[in-house]
Amino acid sequence: MRTRQPIPPKKSPRTGSSAKPIVARPPSPSPVGAEVREEIFARLRAADPEPKAELVYRNAFTLLVAVVLSAQATDKSVNLATAPLFAVADTPEKMLALGEERVRDFIRTIGLFNTKAKNVIALSRILVERHGGAVPASREDLEVLPGVGTKTASVVLNVAFGVPTIAVDTHIFRVSNRIPLFVAPTTDKVQAGLEAIVPEPYRLNAHHWLILFGRYICKARKPDCPICPIADLCRYPMKTVAP
């Protein structure tokens, strides 16, 4: 007759030898106030008075195409592909004449190139048929174009038409929640929040300042806090220190 072996007691997940240590994260700080926001953007403007988009474009149409192509791709990779493409097709009419297969060949080095080639041809056709070949300056008209969402429409409105929108990508989303300027769980909510609180004199260029700041200084894995122009104003509790 077999005897049952006693079942050893379970180790606590907090004290067992194989358990990973639990690291308490500091609570999220409250957003900075109006005076600090003003100072933050004043410093960003002083560091870069005339910020420019890093995507290379020739007109509103090529800007629209470049932003559509930039989804899940770097600006550098898009610029490499669009330089020869825009040399032969910088209007919706020329893009349609080029055709989907040739557009696909030009952008083959960009992620999701098959879908993006279809979208570029489809949006070019809509621009020709509904807008006389012009890029509309209306968010509603932009967002119904294939491959165009809230962020793309906001970039085109801001850069091509001077509308003070703030297109929130991963960089701006991180920066806004990290400083924090405005805290929210989605890009749409961060965009609405920023557009409501960024001081008016800075609103037109805020998109560029924040995206470049997030791309080159306030980076995701290891922000360059020692060289940050607003480090003393930022409330991020996990700043990096100088070596």
Side-chain angles (χ1 to χ4, degrees), residues 3 5 48 50-52 70 74 81 92 122 126-127 134 138-139 153 180-181 192 205 230 241:
T3 59
Q5 297 296 320
D48 188 3
E50 297 182 3
K52 302 295 182 184
S70 70
T74 65
I126 292 173
L127 293 180
S138 156
R139 178 178 293 279
L181 293 169
N205 288 320
I230 62 168
V241 296

Side-chain angles (χ1 to χ4, degrees), residues 134-154:
V135 175
S138 156
R139 178 178 293 279
E140 293 74 16
D141 289 334
L142 286 169
E143 289 188 359
V144 299
L145 297 174
V148 177
T150 300
K151 188 186 81 170
T152 299
S154 295

Side-chain angles (χ1 to χ4, degrees), residues 56-106:
V56 177
Y57 63 96
R58 298 182 174 204
N59 50 37
F61 172 70
T62 53
L63 171 66
L64 172 62
V65 171
V67 180
V68 167
L69 296 179
S70 70
Q72 300 182 45
T74 65
D75 288 358
K76 182 178 179 180
S77 68
V78 172
N79 290 338
L80 289 172
T82 56
L85 173 62
F86 293 159
V88 297
D90 59 357
T91 68
E93 294 84 358
K94 291 178 182 178
M95 197 68 74
L96 283 175
L98 199 60
E100 183 180 322
E101 184 175 350
R102 289 200 63 198
V103 170
R104 187 165 55 245
D105 290 339
F106 276 105

Side-chain angles (χ1 to χ4, degrees), residues 143-191:
E143 289 188 359
V144 299
L145 297 174
V148 177
T150 300
K151 188 186 81 170
T152 299
S154 295
V155 172
V156 173
L157 289 171
N158 180 269
V159 177
F161 300 108
V163 179
T165 60
I166 301 176
V168 176
D169 68 349
T170 56
H171 297 297
I172 297 180
F173 181 80
R174 177 177 67 256
V175 167
S176 180
N177 279 280
R178 183 181 276 176
I179 290 174
L181 293 169
F182 186 83
V183 176
T186 67
T187 56
D188 287 349
K189 289 182 179 180
V190 169
Q191 176 169 342

Side-chain angles (χ1 to χ4, degrees), residues 187-221:
T187 56
D188 287 349
K189 289 182 179 180
V190 169
Q191 176 169 342
L194 289 177
E195 289 177 354
I197 66 170
V198 170
E200 192 279 331
Y202 308 103
R203 204 166 295 158
L204 179 61
N205 288 320
H207 163 77
H208 295 302
W209 285 320
L210 292 176
I211 194 172
L212 294 173
F213 178 67
R215 185 173 289 169
Y216 297 112
I217 296 179
C218 197
K219 295 175 283 191
R221 293 188 179 181

